[in-house]
Amino acid sequence: MLRIAEIKDYEGAFNGLQVQNKGVITRVAAAVDASIATARLAIEAGANLLVVHHGLFWGTRQPWTGSNYELCRYLIENDLAVYSAHLPLDSHPKLGNNAQLCRALGFRTLQPFFFTKEQYLGFRTRMPITRAELSQRLLRAVRSKVAVIPGGEEICRTIGVVTGGAGSEIKLAAKEGVDTFITGEGPHWTYTLAEELHINVFYAGHYATETFGVKALAAEISRHFKIPWTFVDHPTGL
């Protein structure tokens, strides 16, 4: 369903089953990040499968000593499997972070947006809305702080959405014709760049904007396999 064998991702990212368990799943936990903290929350919730957006592996993870050993031992001793979906979950047209955030914002007619790594990751829409109203919608959707760079017009008309850490790519967003760009976070220098490009930028939190996909995926797993799921919240504030 997520086409993990087809979707291009960052070098070193591993999508799919990262840690197996003994083979039986009775409850799913969803989290943004895989870590010892979210593993403990998953076990406390009675789960034996942890579905995450940011997995354990982004390249070589060795040696298996210290914190790596503690994490490995905890997963095995508690029979907790870990499944990760990064860009395949970002880009999914129904369950993905971008599609789900667009839905939460009331965006209806969506077009592919933000072409990178040989694919579109996000979505854009056309609708007139003030910066202030869009900011309020974002606040209600992510339930976290929203930073606004008012580089464009007060009325937003063409809005692009790419969750997570796409702030450093606002040139790409502007090149694809949006006057307003919603993402999770970005570097300090993007403030002046947004002004130069005459584009509004909304930073709604890397973590907060990427809670949507894992919730939707866990709910789909629950519906399909008739097993319960829960979201384990471990916010970073970033």
Side-chain angles (χ1 to χ4, degrees):
M1 181 177 65
L2 294 176
R3 298 168 53 227
I4 61 172
E6 303 168 40
I7 301 296
K8 306 291 184 183
D9 211 320
Y10 294 93
E11 185 178 357
F14 185 90
N15 293 300
L17 186 64
Q18 295 192 335
V19 180
Q20 71 180 59
N21 73 345
K22 294 177 181 177
V24 176
I25 304 298
T26 57
R27 177 180 285 272
V28 177
V32 174
D33 306 295
S35 68
I36 189 66
T38 55
R40 285 174 176 149
L41 290 171
I43 293 301
E44 289 172 7
N48 39 26
L49 171 62
L50 177 61
V51 173
V52 299
H53 182 51
H54 301 135
L56 298 168
F57 304 109
W58 300 94
T60 302
R61 184 168 184 150
Q62 61 184 34
W64 287 96
T65 59
S67 60
N68 280 346
Y69 168 74
E70 293 299 330
L71 174 59
C72 183
R73 185 181 71 171
Y74 188 81
L75 295 174
I76 292 172
E77 288 181 349
N78 289 279
D79 198 33
L80 182 65
V82 179
Y83 183 97
S84 174
H86 187 231
L87 293 190
L89 187 55
D90 278 324
S91 60
H92 194 275
K94 178 184 175 184
L95 305 178
N97 286 311
N98 297 307
Q100 289 286 319
L101 179 54
C102 285
R103 181 180 179 182
L105 292 172
F107 299 165
R108 301 300 177 209
T109 304
L110 303 180
Q111 297 177 324
F113 168 68
F114 206 80
F115 191 80
T116 185
K117 298 187 182 298
E118 306 176 36
Q119 64 219 339
Y120 287 103
L121 294 183
F123 297 97
R124 67 179 178 182
T125 190
R126 292 181 181 272
M127 64 175 293
I129 184 172
T130 67
R131 278 197 307 255
E133 172 59 24
L134 184 53
S135 181
Q136 287 302 310
R137 288 195 188 190
L138 262 174
L139 280 169
R140 290 192 294 267
V142 302
R143 300 178 184 180
S144 183
K145 61 184 179 182
V146 174
V148 183
I149 304 176
E153 300 294 329
E154 168 62 25
I155 304 297
C156 309
R157 291 181 171 84
T158 306
I159 306 165
V161 176
V162 178
T163 63
S168 59
E169 299 294 338
I170 59 175
K171 274 189 177 181
L172 174 58
K175 183 179 179 181
E176 293 194 15
V178 301
D179 57 50
T180 302
F181 184 40
I182 297 172
T183 186
E185 62 169 331
H188 172 79
W189 52 263
T190 58
Y191 194 101
T192 53
L193 179 60
E195 292 178 322
E196 292 170 6
L197 295 171
H198 305 293
I199 184 173
N200 297 310
V201 179
F202 290 78
Y203 290 144
H206 195 138
Y207 178 90
T209 59
E210 298 199 319
T211 60
F212 296 90
V214 288
K215 290 178 180 178
L217 179 57
E220 180 67 16
I221 293 170
S222 175
R223 183 197 64 79
H224 186 83
F225 293 103
K226 305 297 188 294
I227 54 176
W229 75 278
T230 187
F231 177 66
V232 292
D233 197 16
H234 188 61
T236 64
L238 303 173

